[in-house]
Amino acid sequence: MSGGRSSNKHLGKLARQLLFSEALRHIRTSSPTSQEHPTSQSHAMADTSLGATMDSILQEISAVGHRLERMDSMMTYLTKDTKSMLLDIAGFQSRLTALEQRVTTMEMQAVLASDRDQELLYLHSKVIDLEDRSRRDNVRFVGFPENIEGADVQSFLRSTLPQITGLTFDPAPEFQRTHRLGAKSRDGANHPRPIIACFLRHTQAQQLLQKARMQGPFRMNDLQIRMTADFS
């Protein structure tokens, strides 16, 4: 602001010099002259004109000074406003930088999450494959009424399967484990639970499933018995 004030003072000085020069020119052109020595009356008129001109000059100089003061106050206000705007811009820039850093971090996390998703999908497919491999010797039997197997499911299947399928098993079917799937429901008569049987020999399980795919449901008296692979 010191530079602004010095420029304002310089402008005021130039304005006063211009006004004073204009006043002198006006006095020279307007005051009466003659070839003879001026009289006392002409001196009086010149003094009056000079006084009026000086008053006018002083008034104009005062008005210019007031305008310069207003300009100075306006420059001070603009300077403060500019500094405030610069501070706001600096704040916005810092916040924008922080947002850019957060966006960059989120993009990196998104890439890592995508990689993890791909890895999870791969592991999920591997688990399903391993589970299916562990179940490849299982056969699911649907349609046997509840409790028809009695206390020994394996003996029941060993004697029933050749009868309803017409297959000859040599040796007789053997199982690692057999069980009903799930908890027994109150409506077990109409919705019997499936029987899961894990064959000891893989070839016998495949022989039975191939026959079921070719023939469809087997008949046992008035019952329809379906046999399917036990996939996960």
Side-chain angles (χ1 to χ4, degrees):
M1 284 306 299
S2 61
R5 290 177 179 173
S6 62
S7 63
N8 291 341
K9 291 180 180 179
H10 183 66
L11 289 173
K13 184 176 179 181
L14 290 175
R16 287 192 293 271
Q17 288 177 355
L18 289 172
L19 291 173
F20 188 72
S21 298
E22 180 64 23
L24 291 178
R25 187 183 64 78
H26 179 70
I27 292 170
R28 292 192 185 100
T29 56
S30 61
S31 59
T33 57
S34 63
Q35 302 295 331
E36 307 291 336
H37 292 288
T39 61
S40 59
Q41 184 178 2
S42 62
H43 278 294
M45 291 177 62
D47 292 338
T48 303
S49 176
L50 179 61
T53 303
M54 292 301 296
D55 290 339
S56 176
I57 291 172
L58 291 175
Q59 290 177 359
E60 292 184 7
I61 290 174
S62 178
V64 171
H66 289 307
R67 288 198 294 271
L68 292 175
E69 288 178 359
R70 287 197 298 271
M71 291 177 63
D72 186 48
S73 63
M74 289 177 64
M75 289 296 296
T76 302
Y77 173 77
L78 289 174
T79 301
K80 292 181 180 179
D81 196 21
T82 303
K83 289 181 179 179
S84 177
M85 291 176 64
L86 290 175
L87 291 174
D88 291 340
I89 291 172
F92 288 142
Q93 287 178 342
S94 62
R95 293 170 63 181
L96 182 60
T97 302
L99 287 174
E100 289 178 348
Q101 291 177 352
R102 291 177 61 184
V103 169
T104 302
T105 303
M106 292 180 66
E107 288 177 346
M108 295 176 62
Q109 291 177 352
V111 172
L112 294 176
S114 178
D115 293 340
R116 285 195 296 269
D117 290 341
Q118 295 295 327
E119 185 177 3
L120 287 175
L121 288 174
Y122 172 74
L123 293 175
H124 181 66
S125 63
K126 291 290 289 184
V127 168
I128 292 176
D129 180 65
L130 290 173
E131 189 173 358
D132 287 340
R133 285 177 181 274
S134 68
R135 295 182 178 188
R136 64 180 180 174
D137 295 333
N138 289 3
V139 178
R140 183 188 295 255
F141 301 94
V142 180
F144 287 120
E146 292 280 349
N147 301 321
I148 193 175
E149 70 276 13
D152 189 354
V153 181
Q154 295 187 12
S155 297
F156 169 74
L157 292 176
R158 193 177 296 116
S159 61
T160 303
L161 291 179
Q163 297 176 8
I164 63 176
T165 62
L167 294 173
T168 301
F169 296 97
D170 187 21
E174 294 185 73
F175 307 96
Q176 299 183 42
R177 57 188 177 275
T178 56
H179 62 278
R180 289 275 185 179
L181 183 62
K184 187 175 181 180
S185 64
R186 295 181 180 179
D187 193 17
N190 296 325
H191 297 88
R193 294 170 295 167
I195 294 176
I196 303 294
C198 179
F199 282 75
L200 181 64
R201 296 176 180 84
H202 177 70
T203 54
Q204 291 182 340
Q206 293 302 310
Q207 182 183 5
L208 188 62
L209 291 173
Q210 184 177 5
K211 179 73 173 180
R213 284 192 293 270
M214 293 175 59
Q215 183 172 333
F218 297 99
R219 303 294 301 183
M220 180 179 175
N221 298 328
D222 295 333
L223 302 175
Q224 282 191 350
I225 310 299
R226 292 181 174 84
M227 304 176 192
T228 61
D230 183 35
F231 291 114
S232 59

